[in-house]
Amino acid sequence: MSGLTHLDDEGSARMVDVGAKAITARQAVAQGRITMTREAAAAIRAGSVQKGDVLAVARVAGIMAAKKTSDLIPLCHPLPLSKVEIDLTLDEQGVTATATAATAGQTGVEMEALTAVSVTLLTIYDMAKALDKRMTISDIRLVAKTGGKSGDWHA
C-alpha cells in the first residue's frame, strides 16, 4: 500500500508486529485546552463546583484513560506504563492539560498521552458543564516524543 504500517498488502487493517523491535525507553507528551467563561474558571479555582474537585478528578481520569488506551483504540498495543503524569494549568479562561506517558517497550506511548489529555479535558467538561455548556475543547496534539527507532521529535 502506501507505507502505512496498520495496513496489510491488501489494504486491510492489522495490528503491527513489534516483536522484533528493541525494547527502549519511550516517552510522549501531549497537550490540549478547554476554554470556558471566567465564572466557570473561578468556580473551579475556588473549589465550589457541586460535583467536587474538578482538577483532581480530571487528573485521575486522565491517568486511568492512559492505562485503558489499547481498549479504546483498536490497533494499539497494550503497554506496561511506567509513568503517567497530568499537569493542569488553570487560568481565567480555562485549563491547559499536559500529559506525559512513559514506558520501556517495543512501541511508543503517543496514543496513551493523547488519550490521557482527551479524557482529562472531557472530565473537566463533564464536571463543570452546569456552569458553562459552551466550553470548548481544542488543540489536542502531540508536543514531544522520545525513544524508539525514529528517535526524538518535538513540535
Side-chain angles (χ1 to χ4, degrees):
M1 281 294 316
S2 61
L4 297 174
T5 59
H6 284 84
L7 299 176
D8 66 15
D9 291 338
E10 287 79 43
S12 297
R14 68 177 179 134
M15 188 173 188
V16 175
D17 182 357
V18 297
K21 292 174 78 175
I23 294 173
T24 61
R26 297 161 184 267
Q27 181 169 290
V29 180
Q31 194 169 70
R33 173 114 176 117
I34 185 166
T35 55
M36 61 190 66
T37 63
R38 290 180 186 273
E39 294 78 20
I44 290 171
R45 181 178 310 285
S48 61
V49 177
Q50 285 187 340
K51 287 189 175 182
D53 186 336
V54 173
L55 300 182
V57 173
R59 186 174 287 112
V60 171
I63 293 167
M64 290 174 65
K67 296 183 337 181
K68 292 290 190 179
T69 299
S70 66
D71 292 336
L72 300 169
I73 310 295
L75 302 177
C76 272
H77 294 82
L79 297 177
L81 295 172
S82 57
K83 171 185 177 179
V84 179
E85 183 175 296
I86 310 290
D87 292 316
L88 300 171
T89 304
L90 175 65
D91 59 42
E92 291 182 353
Q93 297 173 336
V95 180
T96 299
T98 304
T100 302
T103 191
Q106 295 167 297
T107 190
V109 289
E110 296 91 340
M111 295 309 299
E112 286 73 12
L114 287 162
T115 300
V117 161
S118 299
V119 172
T120 297
L121 296 172
L122 287 167
T123 301
I124 292 169
Y125 185 94
D126 179 56
M127 292 193 68
K129 67 187 174 210
L131 302 172
D132 181 7
K133 288 181 179 33
R134 291 188 175 162
M135 287 181 283
T136 303
I137 295 172
S138 63
D139 301 322
I140 296 172
R141 67 200 180 284
L142 184 70
V143 296
K145 76 148 222 84
T146 59
K149 183 177 151 186
S150 63
D152 296 354
W153 177 86
H154 299 275

